[in-house]
Amino acid sequence: MKLNEQQINQIYQFTRQHFVEWYDLQSELVDHLANSIEDRWKENPKLTFEEALQLEFKKFGIFGFMDVIDERRRFLSKKYGRIIWKYYKEFFKLPKIILTFSAMYFLYFLSEKLQNTQYLYLTILAVIGIVFTIEIRKIHKVQKLKEKETGKKWFFEQTVDAFNVYPMTFLPMQLLNLSITIGEEGWHREIAILGAILLVLFVLLQYVHWKIVYPKITQEMGSIYPEYEISK
């Protein structure tokens, strides 16, 4: 026996009722449950659709789909991290490494000329923060509009946003602490060099994340899920 379209839609509704609100994760679960139900019918054709569905759901244990959600989040985070690292490393190979070190040297040169590391780097950091905040808000606005129009949320988008928390908070805070701790005592070559390196690494990480990897991931999702491509 094969599941019909109405039964497939019922499984989608079943996953939503059990707190799976993301369409890409729903689709994976629906595909898994549908195949398992059809296998059960081969062994016992007398089972009703509802009985077979409940038997398969019991396999997920007392926490239901929560373990699947956590497992998928870890998988996507690792996958996304590997992709970001792959493109990030390209900036430390020829010819991009020349541009990378040139940017670091330029920041250090400005700091040396101005004899002021703290205010220069914090000003640059503030500008960088504003630029990326505007870009991220644009992306989130598109995501919200797409969700409103289609009624579909996407798990990979949430994972991508969560992955960005670390570089958005850790590196700037370290730079701020270093600037306040050492920078007030005057210009220091060491803090100027370290600050230039951190700033460039931070900008590169954000650039790779949002301008290179995110578009590639969305393109990949469009090829896997035609619904996502249509809703873009």
Side-chain angles (χ1 to χ4, degrees):
M1 293 176 63
K2 291 288 184 181
L3 292 171
N4 56 42
E5 185 176 350
Q6 181 182 357
Q7 290 168 330
I8 293 294
N9 290 333
Q10 284 181 258
I11 301 177
Y12 270 106
Q13 184 179 1
F14 182 83
T15 60
R16 288 193 294 270
Q17 290 171 346
H18 289 82
F19 311 108
V20 182
E21 53 185 323
W22 308 276
Y23 185 77
D24 44 344
L25 193 51
Q26 288 174 6
S27 296
E28 292 184 18
L29 286 169
V30 168
D31 184 62
H32 171 77
L33 289 170
N35 289 331
S36 298
I37 290 171
E38 289 175 355
D39 289 340
R40 276 192 177 274
W41 277 344
K42 291 177 183 178
E43 299 174 1
N44 187 358
K46 294 182 179 180
L47 281 175
T48 66
F49 167 74
E50 186 62 33
E51 289 171 339
L53 177 59
Q54 291 298 331
L55 286 172
E56 288 304 319
F57 181 61
K58 286 181 180 179
K59 290 182 179 180
F60 290 90
I62 58 174
F63 295 107
F65 296 133
M66 292 299 104
D67 289 339
V68 176
I69 294 173
D70 289 338
E71 182 180 349
R72 186 61 179 168
R73 181 178 289 111
R74 288 194 297 268
F75 170 78
L76 286 176
S77 295
K78 289 180 181 179
K79 176 182 178 180
Y80 197 74
R82 286 194 299 268
I83 296 173
I84 287 180
W85 181 239
K86 172 187 173 183
Y87 287 100
Y88 194 61
K89 288 189 295 184
E90 290 184 2
F91 284 89
F92 300 94
K93 298 177 183 178
L94 289 173
K96 292 181 180 178
I97 192 171
I98 297 175
L99 180 62
T100 301
F101 280 105
S102 295
M104 292 177 181
Y105 177 76
F106 177 71
L107 288 178
Y108 167 76
F109 176 78
L110 278 180
S111 174
E112 184 180 30
K113 287 298 180 183
L114 296 173
Q115 288 293 299
N116 190 318
T117 303
Q118 182 180 1
Y119 291 110
L120 173 64
Y121 287 174
L122 290 181
T123 300
I124 294 173
L125 181 61
V127 173
I128 293 169
I130 291 171
V131 170
F132 279 114
T133 298
I134 292 173
E135 289 297 316
I136 293 169
R137 284 179 180 271
K138 288 180 181 178
I139 292 173
H140 287 172
K141 185 177 180 180
V142 172
Q143 291 176 354
K144 291 294 184 182
L145 181 61
K146 182 171 54 183
E147 179 185 338
K148 185 177 180 180
E149 290 177 348
T150 65
K152 294 181 174 65
K153 297 175 67 174
W154 299 88
F155 191 70
F156 90 95
E157 289 182 340
Q158 184 188 74
T159 305
V160 168
D161 291 344
F163 192 90
N164 196 48
V165 171
Y166 174 82
M168 281 294 288
T169 56
F170 182 75
L171 283 176
M173 286 304 298
Q174 292 304 309
L175 181 57
L176 179 61
N177 291 336
L178 286 169
S179 299
I180 293 175
T181 302
I182 302 176
E184 289 180 351
E185 301 177 2
W187 186 83
H188 291 265
R189 186 181 304 276
E190 294 79 8
I191 190 63
I193 294 173
L194 182 59
I197 293 172
L198 284 177
L199 270 174
V200 172
L201 292 179
F202 173 66
V203 172
L204 285 180
L205 192 57
Q206 293 300 302
Y207 177 79
V208 169
H209 186 166
W210 292 109
K211 293 299 185 179
I212 298 178
V213 178
Y214 182 76
K216 289 182 180 294
I217 292 291
T218 56
Q219 184 179 12
E220 178 184 337
M221 292 300 296
S223 65
I224 297 174
Y225 300 102
E227 298 88 350
Y228 184 79
E229 187 68 28
I230 292 171
S231 66
K232 287 174 63 176

